[in-house]
Amino acid sequence: MTISSSLKRSCSSPDLRGSPGLMLFPKDGGCVLYNPKEGTFQRKLGDFSGCRFLANSGNWLLLLDSGSNLYIVDAFSEKKIRLPSLESIDSADCIVKCVGDRKFVRQDSDSIFSDLSADVVRGLLWVSESGKEYVVVWLFDLPGHSYMSFCKNGDTHYTDIPLFHHQDLHWLDGLSEMVLWGTRLYLSTNRRYVRVLDLSGPQGFFKDITDGTPFPMLSADMSCDSSIAVTTSGQVLLVESDPCNRTCFRLYKKNPDIENPHLFGHTVTEVDSLNGEALLLDLGYTVPANKALGIEPDSIYFTRHYRPCQCASPDLDICVFNLATKSLDRYPDLDKMDLIDARWFLPSGN
């Protein structure tokens, strides 16, 4: 079944009214809104041919076009906000240059990263309910790359965030996962230590506000695919999916009884609920449940079983997992769609 034939069945615009929706990105271009509650499609979200979809926040999308330009766009109104170029990094010891078609080189004081491509740019986006404030985070998602960059509304350039530190802080090196929750950036390092950065300060500055010593989120089964997530209270969760059994998820929180995590290989304790909240795994954070709006409590909304790093592209699997019943709710209408991407979202204004 094609997107076009599905659209012919539903000409009217689905009214989500605060319910979770799906943005679908078919291989033939464009962005399609799918209303899971009604089982209806609507092609009204613009044509983004030649663009790579990097992230979403409410109605807003973070896109990288064929000219390696970053911008955010309201998928409903098509209002567009252009962002500084990838070369606009204000640093005394760093230069990023475009050296060809979508090719870049980054030169730091002690290293040169060549052969960087716009095809491996990864990003995060947060936009306020009013649409007037935003934060954009991006990086060249390659093993060993030393920096990520961010900007906010009003910034004229990006600010670097180093991913590698002094030898004494080697457990804080690298990046395995990241979540942007408002103006707070949660980073999971190569050793799964979680850092929390406040990006709300003036241009060129950020603050590490990690509570005490960064804590590793380590479960007993390191073979699972894992993501981090942030609850409405700011608690960090570890979300695991077994690559040999894609029928369930396991959730963990920091074990409060461990005082020195450096001495332990298992630092988390399993939890069996989200305390009545719902997790949008694509975005990496929970939202209050609301059955009237179709936001089911203790449920995980996902399009992949984990959020990939280093531009890997696991097969899409669009479902809702109920933690209480350990059951999956699938959407058969989407199984045969020719999609390159899909994301759960909550319309702005909720």
Side-chain angles (χ1 to χ4, degrees), residues 69-82:
N69 301 302
L70 275 177
Y71 63 92
I72 59 177
V73 59
D74 186 321
F76 292 90
S77 71
E78 299 191 27
K79 177 183 177 181
K80 183 183 293 188
I81 299 175
R82 295 194 177 276

Side-chain angles (χ1 to χ4, degrees), residues 11-75:
C11 303
S12 60
S13 173
D15 189 356
L16 293 172
R17 295 187 183 276
S19 301
L22 279 160
M23 291 184 181
L24 308 176
F25 297 85
K27 287 185 177 178
D28 60 358
C31 180
V32 178
L33 175 66
Y34 178 70
N35 186 334
K37 198 172 182 180
E38 302 293 334
T40 52
F41 297 83
Q42 174 73 32
R43 185 187 291 271
K44 63 167 290 185
L45 303 186
D47 182 8
F48 308 116
S49 300
C51 294
R52 279 187 58 222
F53 165 73
L54 301 183
N56 65 298
S57 175
N59 301 345
W60 294 84
L61 306 177
L62 174 62
L63 300 172
L64 182 71
D65 69 17
S66 57
S68 302
N69 301 302
L70 275 177
Y71 63 92
I72 59 177
V73 59
D74 186 321

Side-chain angles (χ1 to χ4, degrees), residues 165-174 188-195 213-215 262:
H165 301 77
H166 189 273
Q167 189 174 1
D168 294 340
L169 301 175
H170 58 85
W171 60 85
L172 297 181
D173 286 348
S188 177
T189 69
N190 288 341
R191 292 195 173 190
R192 293 193 183 178
Y193 280 77
V194 177
R195 302 169 60 201
T213 303
F215 194 90
H262 298 288

Side-chain angles (χ1 to χ4, degrees), residues 142-283:
L142 292 172
H145 194 62
S146 300
Y147 293 90
M148 62 197 319
S149 305
F150 78 94
C151 76
K152 307 184 301 298
N153 49 289
D155 289 356
T156 57
H157 57 260
Y158 296 102
T159 298
D160 268 346
I161 299 173
L163 297 177
F164 288 85
H165 301 77
H166 189 273
Q167 189 174 1
D168 294 340
L169 301 175
H170 58 85
W171 60 85
L172 297 181
D173 286 348
L175 176 70
S176 65
E177 252 285 68
M178 57 184 186
V179 170
L180 184 60
W181 187 55
T183 58
R184 292 192 174 184
L185 178 63
Y186 292 74
L187 302 178
S188 177
T189 69
N190 288 341
R191 292 195 173 190
R192 293 193 183 178
Y193 280 77
V194 177
R195 302 169 60 201
V196 186
L197 306 182
D198 181 0
L199 309 183
S200 65
Q203 181 172 245
F205 294 91
F206 62 90
K207 183 179 181 181
D208 192 324
I209 57 170
T210 307
D211 184 17
T213 303
F215 194 90
M217 301 292 285
L218 301 172
S219 73
D221 189 353
M222 296 296 287
S223 66
C224 287
D225 294 324
S226 64
S227 306
I228 58 170
V230 182
T231 68
T232 56
S233 66
Q235 181 184 46
V236 178
L237 300 176
L238 178 68
V239 186
E240 286 192 342
S241 173
D242 186 342
C244 298
N245 179 17
R246 294 299 199 190
T247 61
C248 66
F249 288 87
R250 291 191 294 271
L251 296 178
Y252 301 88
K253 67 177 181 179
K254 172 182 175 180
N255 187 337
D257 297 327
I258 293 181
E259 295 183 2
N260 188 350
H262 298 288
L263 303 179
F264 292 84
H266 182 200
T267 63
V268 293
T269 183
E270 190 167 3
V271 296
D272 57 9
S273 80
L274 288 165
N275 293 323
E277 297 182 342
L279 170 59
L280 301 178
L281 188 60
D282 296 344
L283 300 175

